[in-house]
Each structure stands twice: as C-alpha cells, then as structure tokens.
Amino acid sequence: MTQMQHGTATVSSGRGVVEGAFAVLEELRRRGGEAGLTQIAAACKLPKASTHRLLEQLVRVGAVERHEGRYRVGCQLYWLGQAWQPHPGLWLAARGPLHRLRAITGASAVVTVLHDGLALTVASVPGDVESVAPVRDGMGFSLETAAGQVLTTGLRRSTAGRLPGAVLEREQVLDGVCCAALPMRSPDGRLRAAITAMVPPDRRLERVAEQAARAGAAIAASLARAAASMAELPPVLRY
C-alpha cells in the first residue's frame, strides 16, 4: 500500500489520499480557483512530490486543469457541484427575480438556505457593493448577518413593520454595506430560504426591502408552479 507523508505523520493511501486530494482542492478554492504547485504544497503541508502526484491524478479525472504552469479547478467539479442542490429548483427559480432586483435597486442579491451552521448561498447576483462584499454561489454567511438571522429566527423577529420576518441591518456587520433580508416560505408556511439585498448606505433600505419581498414572492410562485407541473406528470417521468 502506497504511503504519503502529511506533515510529520505518514498517511496511508485510501482515506489519507482522499483527504489530501480534498485539501488540495480546498486550497485551490481558497486561492480563487488557481495556484502553483509550491503554494499548494506549502499550504497543505505536503511534500511537493506528493502534491504533484495528487494534482496529476486530479487532472486525469478532470477535477483539476493545468493552466500556464499552474493548476486550477477543473470543469468536472463544476458538473458535480451542479448535482447538489439543498432545495431542488431554487437556483433556477431565483435567477430571473434576482437579476430584476439588482436592476431596480443596484443591490447585490442572494438567496440563502440554512446549512451546516451557515447561511449558504444558493443563487447570487453581484451589485453595487461587490467590491466590498463579493457574492458567489456556494459562499457561506455567518448566522450573525441579516440572512442568518432570518434563517434562524423566522417570523419571530421583525424589524421592518409591514414586512413580517424582515431584518434590516445598517453597517453593523460590514462598513459600507446595508442589508435587507426576508424569509421565503413554502405554501404550507415552512421557512424555505432567505432573500437578501445588500446595498451602499446611501440607499433607502426600506424601499430595497420592499423590492426584495417582491422578488422573494416571485421565486416562491415559480417554485409552486414547478411543483404543480411535476405533480401532473406520470410517476415514470418525474425523475
């Protein structure tokens, strides 16, 4: 059985190699998707020879690509990532309403779900605060943010009067960024996700919250229509 040095410990193939491969992929993600061999090896505390072997194995299966002497995340990981959806259909339903919300308000708009102690971004559209608070699908926000508060407290918390369950946050978390977050619920009333609009401090946050509420309602309506369409299909065609 092949062995690999990991720091001062010896890690056998099998689980150790898998852990090493994921450590390499995580480092590529942390560095924006691309890095050099020496950088990756140092960050993962692996010998360069072992890191190179891992990278070349990942290249062969399409998880990593070579690019001008460096390595970057490969397209195979993109396709695999698309297969994981915490709430099926949510990303597709959110795209149009989020773009419209950004067009009307200039907001960076995101839809998040509660996952593994974070507000996990399922869909996102960058807006006017992108340089201060970039948004990406798959990014996690802490539960102290407006989105996190909505997801953890639901309708028990309301700070926006006519918008039940909304949380308005004015630069308490990040200077230069104000947030309006609202719950998105399924037809039976269960909290499904949160929609959040992030804008500069010069915007009227109450108006932004109203537009975010409309976008959230549009997403919920799209999901309801999709669910109804699926229910009408013969069982053999639903999956």
mmCIF file of all heavy atoms in Angstrom, residues 152-200:
data_model
loop_
_atom_site.group_PDB
_atom_site.id
_atom_site.type_symbol
_atom_site.label_atom_id
_atom_site.label_comp_id
_atom_site.label_asym_id
_atom_site.label_seq_id
_atom_site.Cartn_x
_atom_site.Cartn_y
_atom_site.Cartn_z
ATOM 1 N N THR A 152 -32.555 31.720 11.110
ATOM 2 C CA THR A 152 -32.554 31.092 12.436
ATOM 3 C C THR A 152 -33.698 31.542 13.323
ATOM 4 O O THR A 152 -34.027 30.866 14.298
ATOM 5 C CB THR A 152 -31.225 31.368 13.162
ATOM 6 O OG1 THR A 152 -30.967 32.773 13.168
ATOM 7 C CG2 THR A 152 -30.077 30.642 12.484
ATOM 8 N N THR A 153 -34.311 32.681 12.997
ATOM 9 C CA THR A 153 -35.394 33.161 13.854
ATOM 10 C C THR A 153 -36.743 33.160 13.169
ATOM 11 O O THR A 153 -37.774 33.264 13.820
ATOM 12 C CB THR A 153 -35.108 34.591 14.362
ATOM 13 O OG1 THR A 153 -35.033 35.486 13.238
ATOM 14 C CG2 THR A 153 -33.817 34.640 15.144
ATOM 15 N N GLY A 154 -36.762 33.068 11.826
ATOM 16 C CA GLY A 154 -38.029 33.003 11.110
ATOM 17 C C GLY A 154 -38.927 34.194 11.401
ATOM 18 O O GLY A 154 -38.485 35.328 11.502
ATOM 19 N N LEU A 155 -40.203 33.952 11.577
ATOM 20 C CA LEU A 155 -41.177 35.023 11.790
ATOM 21 C C LEU A 155 -41.148 35.589 13.202
ATOM 22 O O LEU A 155 -41.855 36.539 13.501
ATOM 23 C CB LEU A 155 -42.593 34.512 11.485
ATOM 24 C CG LEU A 155 -42.931 34.344 10.010
ATOM 25 C CD1 LEU A 155 -44.332 33.786 9.864
ATOM 26 C CD2 LEU A 155 -42.820 35.675 9.284
ATOM 27 N N ARG A 156 -40.352 35.013 14.083
ATOM 28 C CA ARG A 156 -40.335 35.522 15.455
ATOM 29 C C ARG A 156 -39.646 36.881 15.539
ATOM 30 O O ARG A 156 -39.748 37.575 16.513
ATOM 31 C CB ARG A 156 -39.627 34.536 16.376
ATOM 32 C CG ARG A 156 -40.350 33.209 16.522
ATOM 33 C CD ARG A 156 -39.777 32.427 17.688
ATOM 34 N NE ARG A 156 -38.353 32.206 17.552
ATOM 35 C CZ ARG A 156 -37.808 31.201 16.861
ATOM 36 N NH1 ARG A 156 -38.587 30.373 16.197
ATOM 37 N NH2 ARG A 156 -36.503 31.042 16.807
ATOM 38 N N ARG A 157 -38.893 37.249 14.508
ATOM 39 C CA ARG A 157 -38.161 38.517 14.537
ATOM 40 C C ARG A 157 -38.644 39.404 13.393
ATOM 41 O O ARG A 157 -38.657 38.982 12.251
ATOM 42 C CB ARG A 157 -36.654 38.268 14.387
ATOM 43 C CG ARG A 157 -35.804 39.541 14.511
ATOM 44 C CD ARG A 157 -34.356 39.214 14.186
ATOM 45 N NE ARG A 157 -33.517 40.382 14.397
ATOM 46 C CZ ARG A 157 -32.785 40.584 15.473
ATOM 47 N NH1 ARG A 157 -32.804 39.700 16.452
ATOM 48 N NH2 ARG A 157 -32.020 41.650 15.595
ATOM 49 N N SER A 158 -39.069 40.598 13.683
ATOM 50 C CA SER A 158 -39.498 41.523 12.649
ATOM 51 C C SER A 158 -39.011 42.919 13.000
ATOM 52 O O SER A 158 -39.311 43.426 14.072
ATOM 53 C CB SER A 158 -41.029 41.524 12.514
ATOM 54 O OG SER A 158 -41.433 42.462 11.543
ATOM 55 N N THR A 159 -38.240 43.513 12.086
ATOM 56 C CA THR A 159 -37.730 44.861 12.330
ATOM 57 C C THR A 159 -38.131 45.803 11.209
ATOM 58 O O THR A 159 -37.557 46.864 11.062
ATOM 59 C CB THR A 159 -36.184 44.840 12.442
ATOM 60 O OG1 THR A 159 -35.654 44.340 11.199
ATOM 61 C CG2 THR A 159 -35.720 43.969 13.574
ATOM 62 N N ALA A 160 -39.110 45.402 10.397
ATOM 63 C CA ALA A 160 -39.440 46.215 9.238
ATOM 64 C C ALA A 160 -40.930 46.479 9.101
ATOM 65 O O ALA A 160 -41.417 46.729 8.023
ATOM 66 C CB ALA A 160 -38.913 45.538 7.979
ATOM 67 N N GLY A 161 -41.689 46.424 10.186
ATOM 68 C CA GLY A 161 -43.092 46.811 10.182
ATOM 69 C C GLY A 161 -43.944 46.017 9.223
ATOM 70 O O GLY A 161 -44.406 44.929 9.525
ATOM 71 N N ARG A 162 -44.154 46.582 8.012
ATOM 72 C CA ARG A 162 -45.066 45.979 7.055
ATOM 73 C C ARG A 162 -44.505 44.731 6.398
ATOM 74 O O ARG A 162 -45.194 44.090 5.605
ATOM 75 C CB ARG A 162 -45.425 47.014 5.980
ATOM 76 C CG ARG A 162 -46.258 48.169 6.517
ATOM 77 C CD ARG A 162 -46.630 49.174 5.436
ATOM 78 N NE ARG A 162 -45.473 49.855 4.874
ATOM 79 C CZ ARG A 162 -45.012 49.678 3.635
ATOM 80 N NH1 ARG A 162 -45.588 48.816 2.839
ATOM 81 N NH2 ARG A 162 -43.980 50.365 3.200
ATOM 82 N N LEU A 163 -43.280 44.378 6.681
ATOM 83 C CA LEU A 163 -42.670 43.201 6.068
ATOM 84 C C LEU A 163 -42.344 42.188 7.156
ATOM 85 O O LEU A 163 -41.241 42.189 7.713
ATOM 86 C CB LEU A 163 -41.396 43.606 5.307
ATOM 87 C CG LEU A 163 -41.607 44.599 4.155
ATOM 88 C CD1 LEU A 163 -40.269 45.048 3.605
ATOM 89 C CD2 LEU A 163 -42.465 43.982 3.064
ATOM 90 N N PRO A 164 -43.289 41.310 7.494
ATOM 91 C CA PRO A 164 -43.078 40.357 8.596
ATOM 92 C C PRO A 164 -41.837 39.488 8.374
ATOM 93 O O PRO A 164 -41.609 38.969 7.291
ATOM 94 C CB PRO A 164 -44.355 39.507 8.562
ATOM 95 C CG PRO A 164 -45.369 40.368 7.900
ATOM 96 C CD PRO A 164 -44.609 41.170 6.881
ATOM 97 N N GLY A 165 -41.064 39.357 9.422
ATOM 98 C CA GLY A 165 -39.889 38.498 9.376
ATOM 99 C C GLY A 165 -38.656 39.140 8.792
ATOM 100 O O GLY A 165 -37.590 38.529 8.776
ATOM 101 N N ALA A 166 -38.778 40.392 8.301
ATOM 102 C CA ALA A 166 -37.626 41.044 7.680
ATOM 103 C C ALA A 166 -36.617 41.487 8.730
ATOM 104 O O ALA A 166 -36.968 41.828 9.857
ATOM 105 C CB ALA A 166 -38.079 42.251 6.865
ATOM 106 N N VAL A 167 -35.355 41.491 8.337
ATOM 107 C CA VAL A 167 -34.273 42.019 9.166
ATOM 108 C C VAL A 167 -33.536 43.072 8.355
ATOM 109 O O VAL A 167 -33.044 42.801 7.260
ATOM 110 C CB VAL A 167 -33.301 40.909 9.613
ATOM 111 C CG1 VAL A 167 -32.091 41.515 10.334
ATOM 112 C CG2 VAL A 167 -33.997 39.906 10.521
ATOM 113 N N LEU A 168 -33.489 44.290 8.877
ATOM 114 C CA LEU A 168 -32.754 45.376 8.243
ATOM 115 C C LEU A 168 -31.484 45.639 9.048
ATOM 116 O O LEU A 168 -31.549 45.858 10.251
ATOM 117 C CB LEU A 168 -33.608 46.645 8.176
ATOM 118 C CG LEU A 168 -34.959 46.522 7.471
ATOM 119 C CD1 LEU A 168 -35.617 47.888 7.348
ATOM 120 C CD2 LEU A 168 -34.818 45.871 6.106
ATOM 121 N N GLU A 169 -30.372 45.627 8.368
ATOM 122 C CA GLU A 169 -29.084 45.754 9.049
ATOM 123 C C GLU A 169 -28.289 46.867 8.384
ATOM 124 O O GLU A 169 -28.036 46.823 7.177
ATOM 125 C CB GLU A 169 -28.345 44.413 8.986
ATOM 126 C CG GLU A 169 -27.027 44.379 9.725
ATOM 127 C CD GLU A 169 -25.880 44.712 8.784
ATOM 128 O OE1 GLU A 169 -25.717 44.043 7.758
ATOM 129 O OE2 GLU A 169 -25.148 45.681 9.107
ATOM 130 N N ARG A 170 -27.924 47.889 9.155
ATOM 131 C CA ARG A 170 -27.241 49.067 8.624
ATOM 132 C C ARG A 170 -25.799 49.131 9.101
ATOM 133 O O ARG A 170 -25.506 49.673 10.161
ATOM 134 C CB ARG A 170 -28.005 50.325 9.027
ATOM 135 C CG ARG A 170 -29.392 50.433 8.387
ATOM 136 C CD ARG A 170 -30.121 51.671 8.876
ATOM 137 N NE ARG A 170 -31.358 51.925 8.120
ATOM 138 C CZ ARG A 170 -32.526 51.351 8.398
ATOM 139 N NH1 ARG A 170 -32.632 50.484 9.406
ATOM 140 N NH2 ARG A 170 -33.598 51.635 7.656
ATOM 141 N N GLU A 171 -24.908 48.509 8.344
ATOM 142 C CA GLU A 171 -23.456 48.548 8.574
ATOM 143 C C GLU A 171 -23.031 47.963 9.914
ATOM 144 O O GLU A 171 -21.901 48.200 10.345
ATOM 145 C CB GLU A 171 -22.926 49.982 8.455
ATOM 146 C CG GLU A 171 -23.111 50.613 7.084
ATOM 147 C CD GLU A 171 -22.410 51.945 6.963
ATOM 148 O OE1 GLU A 171 -21.233 51.984 6.575
ATOM 149 O OE2 GLU A 171 -23.062 52.976 7.290
ATOM 150 N N GLN A 172 -23.905 47.199 10.586
ATOM 151 C CA GLN A 172 -23.481 46.582 11.845
ATOM 152 C C GLN A 172 -22.472 45.462 11.622
ATOM 153 O O GLN A 172 -21.633 45.188 12.484
ATOM 154 C CB GLN A 172 -24.687 46.028 12.623
ATOM 155 C CG GLN A 172 -25.504 47.094 13.325
ATOM 156 C CD GLN A 172 -26.751 47.455 12.533
ATOM 157 O OE1 GLN A 172 -26.871 47.103 11.373
ATOM 158 N NE2 GLN A 172 -27.676 48.155 13.167
ATOM 159 N N VAL A 173 -22.548 44.800 10.480
ATOM 160 C CA VAL A 173 -21.657 43.670 10.208
ATOM 161 C C VAL A 173 -20.453 44.103 9.385
ATOM 162 O O VAL A 173 -19.328 43.692 9.652
ATOM 163 C CB VAL A 173 -22.427 42.542 9.485
ATOM 164 C CG1 VAL A 173 -21.484 41.413 9.083
ATOM 165 C CG2 VAL A 173 -23.541 42.003 10.383
ATOM 166 N N LEU A 174 -20.674 44.950 8.384
ATOM 167 C CA LEU A 174 -19.594 45.355 7.484
ATOM 168 C C LEU A 174 -19.777 46.813 7.091
ATOM 169 O O LEU A 174 -20.849 47.210 6.622
ATOM 170 C CB LEU A 174 -19.607 44.468 6.228
ATOM 171 C CG LEU A 174 -18.473 44.655 5.220
ATOM 172 C CD1 LEU A 174 -17.128 44.312 5.861
ATOM 173 C CD2 LEU A 174 -18.712 43.771 3.998
ATOM 174 N N ASP A 175 -18.732 47.611 7.302
ATOM 175 C CA ASP A 175 -18.787 49.020 6.934
ATOM 176 C C ASP A 175 -19.064 49.172 5.440
ATOM 177 O O ASP A 175 -18.473 48.479 4.602
ATOM 178 C CB ASP A 175 -17.467 49.719 7.275
ATOM 179 C CG ASP A 175 -17.256 49.867 8.770
ATOM 180 O OD1 ASP A 175 -18.243 49.748 9.513
ATOM 181 O OD2 ASP A 175 -16.109 50.091 9.180
ATOM 182 N N GLY A 176 -19.963 50.071 5.124
ATOM 183 C CA GLY A 176 -20.258 50.344 3.727
ATOM 184 C C GLY A 176 -21.302 49.445 3.113
ATOM 185 O O GLY A 176 -21.592 49.562 1.914
ATOM 186 N N VAL A 177 -21.886 48.555 3.919
ATOM 187 C CA VAL A 177 -22.878 47.610 3.391
ATOM 188 C C VAL A 177 -24.093 47.577 4.313
ATOM 189 O O VAL A 177 -23.969 47.332 5.513
ATOM 190 C CB VAL A 177 -22.310 46.180 3.253
ATOM 191 C CG1 VAL A 177 -23.378 45.224 2.730
ATOM 192 C CG2 VAL A 177 -21.102 46.177 2.335
ATOM 193 N N CYS A 178 -25.265 47.827 3.732
ATOM 194 C CA CYS A 178 -26.534 47.684 4.448
ATOM 195 C C CYS A 178 -27.312 46.531 3.816
ATOM 196 O O CYS A 178 -27.255 46.339 2.598
ATOM 197 C CB CYS A 178 -27.348 48.970 4.370
ATOM 198 S SG CYS A 178 -26.551 50.392 5.152
ATOM 199 N N CYS A 179 -28.030 45.787 4.636
ATOM 200 C CA CYS A 179 -28.712 44.582 4.162
ATOM 201 C C CYS A 179 -30.181 44.578 4.533
ATOM 202 O O CYS A 179 -30.556 44.998 5.636
ATOM 203 C CB CYS A 179 -28.066 43.325 4.744
ATOM 204 S SG CYS A 179 -26.333 43.110 4.309
ATOM 205 N N ALA A 180 -30.983 44.081 3.615
ATOM 206 C CA ALA A 180 -32.390 43.800 3.887
ATOM 207 C C ALA A 180 -32.620 42.333 3.565
ATOM 208 O O ALA A 180 -32.428 41.907 2.416
ATOM 209 C CB ALA A 180 -33.291 44.686 3.032
ATOM 210 N N ALA A 181 -32.988 41.554 4.569
ATOM 211 C CA ALA A 181 -33.199 40.119 4.390
ATOM 212 C C ALA A 181 -34.621 39.755 4.797
ATOM 213 O O ALA A 181 -35.146 40.279 5.791
ATOM 214 C CB ALA A 181 -32.197 39.318 5.221
ATOM 215 N N LEU A 182 -35.232 38.870 4.028
ATOM 216 C CA LEU A 182 -36.607 38.460 4.287
ATOM 217 C C LEU A 182 -36.751 36.955 4.115
ATOM 218 O O LEU A 182 -36.045 36.337 3.313
ATOM 219 C CB LEU A 182 -37.572 39.166 3.331
ATOM 220 C CG LEU A 182 -37.623 40.686 3.410
ATOM 221 C CD1 LEU A 182 -36.764 41.299 2.323
ATOM 222 C CD2 LEU A 182 -39.048 41.181 3.298
ATOM 223 N N PRO A 183 -37.696 36.364 4.856
ATOM 224 C CA PRO A 183 -37.918 34.921 4.714
ATOM 225 C C PRO A 183 -38.668 34.591 3.437
ATOM 226 O O PRO A 183 -39.488 35.365 2.951
ATOM 227 C CB PRO A 183 -38.760 34.581 5.950
ATOM 228 C CG PRO A 183 -39.473 35.849 6.278
ATOM 229 C CD PRO A 183 -38.552 36.966 5.888
ATOM 230 N N MET A 184 -38.376 33.421 2.887
ATOM 231 C CA MET A 184 -39.124 32.866 1.766
ATOM 232 C C MET A 184 -39.723 31.546 2.227
ATOM 233 O O MET A 184 -38.989 30.662 2.674
ATOM 234 C CB MET A 184 -38.202 32.641 0.560
ATOM 235 C CG MET A 184 -37.708 33.920 -0.071
ATOM 236 S SD MET A 184 -36.438 33.612 -1.323
ATOM 237 C CE MET A 184 -37.176 32.255 -2.227
ATOM 238 N N ARG A 185 -41.034 31.428 2.113
ATOM 239 C CA ARG A 185 -41.732 30.275 2.683
ATOM 240 C C ARG A 185 -42.422 29.442 1.621
ATOM 241 O O ARG A 185 -42.803 29.942 0.555
ATOM 242 C CB ARG A 185 -42.745 30.752 3.726
ATOM 243 C CG ARG A 185 -42.067 31.450 4.899
ATOM 244 C CD ARG A 185 -43.039 31.805 5.999
ATOM 245 N NE ARG A 185 -42.306 32.354 7.120
ATOM 246 C CZ ARG A 185 -41.723 31.620 8.080
ATOM 247 N NH1 ARG A 185 -41.835 30.308 8.038
ATOM 248 N NH2 ARG A 185 -41.060 32.189 9.054
ATOM 249 N N SER A 186 -42.551 28.169 1.913
ATOM 250 C CA SER A 186 -43.306 27.272 1.044
ATOM 251 C C SER A 186 -44.794 27.505 1.281
ATOM 252 O O SER A 186 -45.185 28.146 2.271
ATOM 253 C CB SER A 186 -42.937 25.814 1.355
ATOM 254 O OG SER A 186 -43.176 25.526 2.715
ATOM 255 N N PRO A 187 -45.677 26.993 0.422
ATOM 256 C CA PRO A 187 -47.113 27.224 0.584
ATOM 257 C C PRO A 187 -47.667 26.785 1.940
ATOM 258 O O PRO A 187 -48.659 27.350 2.419
ATOM 259 C CB PRO A 187 -47.728 26.404 -0.558
ATOM 260 C CG PRO A 187 -46.666 26.406 -1.617
ATOM 261 C CD PRO A 187 -45.376 26.311 -0.857
ATOM 262 N N ASP A 188 -47.033 25.797 2.574
ATOM 263 C CA ASP A 188 -47.521 25.348 3.877
ATOM 264 C C ASP A 188 -46.961 26.180 5.033
ATOM 265 O O ASP A 188 -47.191 25.867 6.207
ATOM 266 C CB ASP A 188 -47.203 23.868 4.093
ATOM 267 C CG ASP A 188 -45.708 23.583 4.084
ATOM 268 O OD1 ASP A 188 -44.909 24.538 3.991
ATOM 269 O OD2 ASP A 188 -45.342 22.391 4.153
ATOM 270 N N GLY A 189 -46.216 27.250 4.715
ATOM 271 C CA GLY A 189 -45.727 28.149 5.754
ATOM 272 C C GLY A 189 -44.351 27.848 6.294
ATOM 273 O O GLY A 189 -43.824 28.598 7.108
ATOM 274 N N ARG A 190 -43.733 26.768 5.841
ATOM 275 C CA ARG A 190 -42.400 26.437 6.347
ATOM 276 C C ARG A 190 -41.344 27.359 5.738
ATOM 277 O O ARG A 190 -41.409 27.703 4.567
ATOM 278 C CB ARG A 190 -42.068 24.980 6.027
ATOM 279 C CG ARG A 190 -42.832 23.966 6.855
ATOM 280 C CD ARG A 190 -42.393 22.558 6.524
ATOM 281 N NE ARG A 190 -42.658 22.251 5.116
ATOM 282 C CZ ARG A 190 -42.251 21.139 4.516
ATOM 283 N NH1 ARG A 190 -41.541 20.249 5.177
ATOM 284 N NH2 ARG A 190 -42.554 20.924 3.244
ATOM 285 N N LEU A 191 -40.368 27.733 6.558
ATOM 286 C CA LEU A 191 -39.284 28.590 6.088
ATOM 287 C C LEU A 191 -38.407 27.793 5.135
ATOM 288 O O LEU A 191 -37.865 26.747 5.500
ATOM 289 C CB LEU A 191 -38.458 29.084 7.279
ATOM 290 C CG LEU A 191 -37.308 30.032 6.946
ATOM 291 C CD1 LEU A 191 -37.833 31.327 6.371
ATOM 292 C CD2 LEU A 191 -36.477 30.317 8.191
ATOM 293 N N ARG A 192 -38.290 28.257 3.916
ATOM 294 C CA ARG A 192 -37.508 27.545 2.913
ATOM 295 C C ARG A 192 -36.142 28.194 2.702
ATOM 296 O O ARG A 192 -35.140 27.509 2.541
ATOM 297 C CB ARG A 192 -38.273 27.498 1.599
ATOM 298 C CG ARG A 192 -37.479 26.985 0.419
ATOM 299 C CD ARG A 192 -38.366 26.690 -0.768
ATOM 300 N NE ARG A 192 -39.006 25.391 -0.634
ATOM 301 C CZ ARG A 192 -39.877 24.901 -1.515
ATOM 302 N NH1 ARG A 192 -40.213 25.616 -2.564
ATOM 303 N NH2 ARG A 192 -40.412 23.723 -1.344
ATOM 304 N N ALA A 193 -36.098 29.526 2.662
ATOM 305 C CA ALA A 193 -34.853 30.231 2.353
ATOM 306 C C ALA A 193 -34.993 31.683 2.783
ATOM 307 O O ALA A 193 -36.038 32.112 3.274
ATOM 308 C CB ALA A 193 -34.559 30.141 0.852
ATOM 309 N N ALA A 194 -33.913 32.422 2.604
ATOM 310 C CA ALA A 194 -33.923 33.869 2.839
ATOM 311 C C ALA A 194 -33.441 34.560 1.586
ATOM 312 O O ALA A 194 -32.530 34.084 0.906
ATOM 313 C CB ALA A 194 -33.026 34.236 4.012
ATOM 314 N N ILE A 195 -34.066 35.690 1.262
ATOM 315 C CA ILE A 195 -33.584 36.525 0.170
ATOM 316 C C ILE A 195 -33.009 37.794 0.779
ATOM 317 O O ILE A 195 -33.608 38.390 1.681
ATOM 318 C CB ILE A 195 -34.706 36.853 -0.842
ATOM 319 C CG1 ILE A 195 -34.132 37.672 -2.009
ATOM 320 C CG2 ILE A 195 -35.888 37.556 -0.186
ATOM 321 C CD1 ILE A 195 -35.076 37.791 -3.191
ATOM 322 N N THR A 196 -31.829 38.183 0.324
ATOM 323 C CA THR A 196 -31.120 39.323 0.904
ATOM 324 C C THR A 196 -30.648 40.262 -0.189
ATOM 325 O O THR A 196 -30.121 39.822 -1.209
ATOM 326 C CB THR A 196 -29.904 38.849 1.727
ATOM 327 O OG1 THR A 196 -30.338 37.943 2.734
ATOM 328 C CG2 THR A 196 -29.205 40.029 2.386
ATOM 329 N N ALA A 197 -30.849 41.564 0.038
ATOM 330 C CA ALA A 197 -30.339 42.598 -0.856
ATOM 331 C C ALA A 197 -29.323 43.422 -0.086
ATOM 332 O O ALA A 197 -29.621 43.928 1.004
ATOM 333 C CB ALA A 197 -31.480 43.479 -1.362
ATOM 334 N N MET A 198 -28.126 43.567 -0.633
ATOM 335 C CA MET A 198 -27.051 44.313 0.003
ATOM 336 C C MET A 198 -26.752 45.560 -0.814
ATOM 337 O O MET A 198 -26.488 45.463 -2.023
ATOM 338 C CB MET A 198 -25.808 43.443 0.133
ATOM 339 C CG MET A 198 -26.010 42.231 1.022
ATOM 340 S SD MET A 198 -24.515 41.222 1.208
ATOM 341 C CE MET A 198 -24.481 40.394 -0.371
ATOM 342 N N VAL A 199 -26.800 46.726 -0.164
ATOM 343 C CA VAL A 199 -26.672 48.000 -0.879
ATOM 344 C C VAL A 199 -25.743 48.949 -0.118
ATOM 345 O O VAL A 199 -25.486 48.759 1.077
ATOM 346 C CB VAL A 199 -28.053 48.678 -1.047
ATOM 347 C CG1 VAL A 199 -28.952 47.857 -1.964
ATOM 348 C CG2 VAL A 199 -28.712 48.905 0.305
ATOM 349 N N PRO A 200 -25.265 50.011 -0.774
ATOM 350 C CA PRO A 200 -24.489 51.042 -0.075
ATOM 351 C C PRO A 200 -25.375 51.802 0.915
ATOM 352 O O PRO A 200 -26.607 51.792 0.799
ATOM 353 C CB PRO A 200 -24.008 51.964 -1.206
ATOM 354 C CG PRO A 200 -24.159 51.165 -2.454
ATOM 355 C CD PRO A 200 -25.310 50.254 -2.227
#
